[in-house]
Amino acid sequence: MADGGVPGVEDVAGLGRWLEGNGLAGGGLPVVRLIGGGRSNLTYLLETGPAGGSGGGPLILRRPPLGHVLPTAHDMAREYRVLTALHGTAVPVPRPIALCQDPEIIGAPFYVMEYVEGVVLRSREDAGILTPQQAGQVSRRFVEMLAGIHGLDIEAAGLTGFGRPEGYLARQLTRWQRQWELSATRELPGYDDLIRRLADGLPGSGGAAAPGQADPGGTLVHGDFRLDNMLIVPGDEPRIAAVVDWEMSTLGDPLADLGLALVYWADPGEEDSLAFSVAASVTTAPGFLTRAQLAEMYADITGRDLSRIGYYMAFGCFKLAVVLEGIHARFLMRKTVGEGFEREGEAVPGLIERAHQMLDADR
């Protein structure tokens, strides 16, 4: 590995030349540090100031994971496009700076974006920076941001054609089944029956409208909307500095976004549940709204009917189970970067079981 390299960015000298050629550094080796755990697309902090060469400040680099990259997944150009479209709108995102589709530079396509100050809230320990009142404010900002994403003017943002809202859920079910077939490392009880139940219960595309309202149709969906995909600026009035990790964004059913967000949101008492081992336990701290309160607030803001939210949460569990099985497959191939990957596969059976429980409640 070249001096200063880390897994996924071994050729730091080549990266430095690319940065210099694009006016992003004044020469010399940047300092590269993996951040964010690397469970999907890998994220790196680039120091291009005095410690890494000359001039400039920190940047963020994103590239696909190592090994076992599934078809249609981890498209750097697509993620770069949505950031470009959203920058300057009411949905805060880091400013995209440059896209490199040449895999020869660091071994894969990548893009560079600005560094945004903020904290990531994942664990209950992270909640120590918030008072209960501030935790409630963060909860409300979370729901308002999701509603804002789903209310974005797609045409004005330049995202027309970014996805096909019609038949979104049916296509998602087919797509994630195919990803499971490419990723599965074992046979799991309940999986085949879950697919059958999800197919039999598909709601209409676009999310159900409230009584007396027209179907709202498809919206921009983040695809992995959760609290730890946000950079939070704490204080008396906490705010969201940026929403990150847009790799699964598209145009589709907004309630699928909400359903997965609710799966990620742990209520007090659920911290030790295997199915919720992937959730952000910070939300169990005093002051955070409950999952039911989040859903009620979203319905109040958007006017959408959430009577089938159990189905959408079950779908979220299914999607997350497929994602984690893919990560587990990369772990078994020794293609993961960072710590904690040995636990990802353990959550998959619990998510399948939880999906069945949600479908039972939805019925």
Side-chain angles (χ1 to χ4, degrees), residues 120-135:
V120 176
L121 301 175
R122 288 193 181 95
S123 68
R124 194 176 171 95
E125 291 72 27
D126 294 337
I129 65 172
L130 302 173
T131 66
Q133 180 181 0
Q134 290 165 349

Side-chain angles (χ1 to χ4, degrees), residues 127-304:
I129 65 172
L130 302 173
T131 66
Q133 180 181 0
Q134 290 165 349
Q137 291 171 325
V138 168
S139 303
R140 289 185 282 275
R141 299 295 89 77
F142 177 87
V143 180
E144 291 165 355
M145 185 61 66
L146 184 59
I149 291 170
H150 296 163
L152 186 78
D153 187 325
I154 294 169
E155 184 176 358
L159 288 172
T160 302
F162 189 63
R164 292 180 295 146
E166 299 79 12
Y168 167 79
L169 274 180
R171 286 198 313 277
Q172 283 279 296
L173 182 58
T174 299
R175 177 194 176 192
W176 289 106
Q177 278 182 264
R178 187 164 58 248
Q179 306 290 49
W180 176 271
E181 291 164 2
L182 293 170
S183 302
T185 63
R186 56 224 159 132
E187 298 250 343
L188 286 178
Y191 173 80
D192 291 336
D193 191 39
L194 176 60
I195 297 302
R196 178 191 60 77
R197 296 184 71 185
L198 290 172
D200 289 346
L202 277 171
S205 64
Q213 294 182 342
D215 187 323
T219 71
L220 177 66
V221 294
H222 180 278
D224 197 27
F225 193 80
R226 61 182 198 258
L227 191 58
D228 54 335
N229 271 341
M230 296 178 176
L231 297 170
I232 307 291
V233 177
D236 292 340
E237 293 287 338
R239 64 181 178 86
I240 299 170
V243 181
V244 298
D245 290 8
W246 290 85
E247 64 187 87
M248 289 194 282
S249 60
T250 187
L251 304 184
D253 189 333
L255 297 189
D257 238 7
L258 176 64
L260 183 56
L262 295 177
V263 169
Y264 279 126
W265 194 278
D267 279 348
E270 294 177 339
E271 299 94 324
D272 296 327
S273 168
L274 188 60
F276 284 92
S277 62
V278 294
S281 63
V282 64
T283 61
T284 65
F288 280 94
L289 299 184
T290 65
R291 190 182 304 115
Q293 289 170 323
L294 289 185
E296 182 179 5
M297 183 177 176
Y298 179 89
D300 288 343
I301 294 173
T302 65
R304 291 193 172 96

